Amino acid sequence: MSKRFLFISVLLSLVLSVGAKPKKVKLATANDSASYAMGIEFAKNIRDNVKNFPGGPFNWDLLLKGMNSVLTNDTMELLMPQSTTADYFQNYAIKATELEAQKNKQRGELFLENNKKDSNVKVTASGLQYKVIKEGTGIKPSLTDKVKVHYRGTLLDGTVFDSSYDRGQPIEFDLNKVIKGWTEGLQLMTIGSKYILYIPYDLAYGARGNGSIKPYSTLIFEVELLDVAKPAVNTIQGSKFQFPEYQRTIK
C-alpha cells in the first residue's frame, strides 16, 4: 500500500469525521469553492483506491475511530500504540498483497486446468488457450504486421475491464507491441475470425498487474480480427527498404 494511499485516507477521514452532521453550505468565495473542490477530489481518490484495499473491505468505522482519538488527543482510546501503527500498516499491506496475488495465481491455474477439458478449447505449447467462435477466410497476420480488432477483456469473475465494443470503435496496433498472449493468439487467426483467448498470467501482465488487472491475473479476451496491414516495402537501387507507412490488405 503506497504512502499516497495512506495520505489520501487520512485526509478523507478528516473530512468525514468533521462532516458527520453536515450543515447547509454555499460557495460564497473562491476559497469556499477551492475547499469544496478539494473535498470532491479526496473522495474520488479514496473511492478508487479502497476498491483494491488488500485483504478485504476497508473498515471505515475503525479508521475514523483511530483518527478521532488522535485529533482529540484521547490516547486512552487508542487501541494500538502510535509508535507501531506506521510499521504495522506497511507490513500488513505487503503481506496481504502477496497473499492476494498467490490466491489469484491459484485461481487462474485451476481455471485453465478445468477449461482445457472442454473439447472445443485448444492449447498451444506456451499454455495459451483459445476457442474458435468463427473462422474467417482472409490472411493471417505475422509478427511485424499491424492489426485492426474488436475485443472485450474480462477477468475470471466476469468483470469487463476493457472493451472496444463498448466504445463503439475498433483499435489498430502493431502486433509485436502488445502482451504475449495477444501476439501469439492473433497470429492463429485469419481476417474475419472471432476467437476467445484464455491468457495465463505469464502471457499477460505477470506479477505486476496493470491498473484494475491484479497481479497474476488470467485474462479472457473475445477478439474479432477485422483487418491486417502489411508494412509497405519500397525498392531503391536494388535494395529493399521498409517504411513505417502501412498498406491495407482489404478495401
Side-chain angles (χ1 to χ4, degrees), residues 62-76:
L62 287 174
L63 181 144
L64 292 175
K65 181 175 178 59
M67 284 300 306
N68 287 330
S69 295
V70 173
L71 291 174
T72 59
N73 201 30
D74 190 354
T75 56
M76 296 297 292

Side-chain angles (χ1 to χ4, degrees), residues 19 97 168-169 171 186 231:
T97 300
Q169 181 67 41
I171 66 168
L186 281 162

Side-chain angles (χ1 to χ4, degrees), residues 4-240:
R4 178 175 177 271
F5 178 89
L6 180 58
F7 175 69
I8 293 171
S9 298
V10 170
L11 288 175
L12 185 60
S13 64
L14 279 169
V15 174
L16 293 175
S17 59
V18 171
K21 295 181 179 179
K23 60 181 180 179
K24 290 185 178 180
V25 295
K26 60 181 180 179
L27 307 180
T29 67
N31 184 276
D32 290 343
S33 297
S35 300
Y36 184 75
M38 183 176 290
I40 294 294
E41 290 304 308
F42 289 160
K44 286 163 55 180
N45 277 284
I46 197 64
R47 176 196 63 196
D48 295 339
N49 280 280
V50 166
K51 290 178 182 178
N52 296 319
F53 186 73
F58 198 77
N59 192 321
W60 286 106
D61 291 336
L62 287 174
L63 181 144
L64 292 175
K65 181 175 178 59
M67 284 300 306
N68 287 330
S69 295
V70 173
L71 291 174
T72 59
N73 201 30
D74 190 354
T75 56
M76 296 297 292
E77 286 293 319
L78 287 173
L79 304 179
M80 299 173 65
Q82 293 187 60
S83 59
T84 66
T85 53
D87 286 341
Y88 181 88
F89 184 86
Q90 292 298 327
N91 291 333
Y92 166 84
I94 292 171
K95 291 179 180 178
T97 300
E98 290 175 350
L99 180 60
E100 189 174 57
Q102 288 304 312
K103 288 182 178 179
N104 205 31
K105 180 180 178 182
Q106 292 170 3
R107 281 193 293 267
E109 292 172 345
L110 179 60
F111 170 84
L112 292 171
E113 186 64 27
N114 291 326
N115 193 55
K116 68 182 183 182
K117 296 175 183 177
D118 184 338
S119 59
N120 294 315
V121 172
K122 299 178 181 180
V123 185
T124 70
S126 70
L128 173 70
Q129 299 183 6
Y130 67 96
K131 181 187 292 186
V132 178
I133 304 302
K134 174 187 174 185
E135 196 66 84
T137 57
I139 64 170
K140 291 182 178 181
S142 59
L143 184 62
T144 57
D145 292 342
K146 177 175 286 189
V147 296
K148 182 178 182 180
V149 305
H150 251 319
Y151 70 94
R152 179 178 295 106
T154 61
L155 304 176
L156 293 184
D157 64 1
T159 300
V160 177
F161 59 83
D162 196 12
S163 173
S164 66
Y165 292 109
D166 291 348
R167 293 191 295 272
Q169 181 67 41
I171 66 168
E172 298 184 20
F173 53 84
D174 295 324
L175 196 52
N176 60 359
K177 295 182 179 179
V178 290
I179 58 175
K180 294 178 182 179
W182 270 56
T183 299
E184 180 182 357
L186 281 162
Q187 289 184 83
L188 301 171
M189 302 172 66
T190 56
I191 294 176
S193 295
K194 188 172 186 178
Y195 283 19
I196 297 179
L197 303 178
Y198 306 93
I199 304 180
Y201 74 88
D202 56 323
L203 299 180
Y205 294 100
R208 72 182 186 278
N210 184 44
S212 61
I213 300 172
K214 296 181 179 180
Y216 295 103
S217 287
T218 292
L219 305 179
I220 302 174
F221 284 97
E222 178 183 327
V223 184
E224 187 175 1
L225 181 57
L226 303 177
D227 200 2
V228 176
K230 297 286 185 181
V233 178
N234 288 8
T235 302
I236 301 177
Q237 295 181 349
S239 299
K240 291 185 177 180

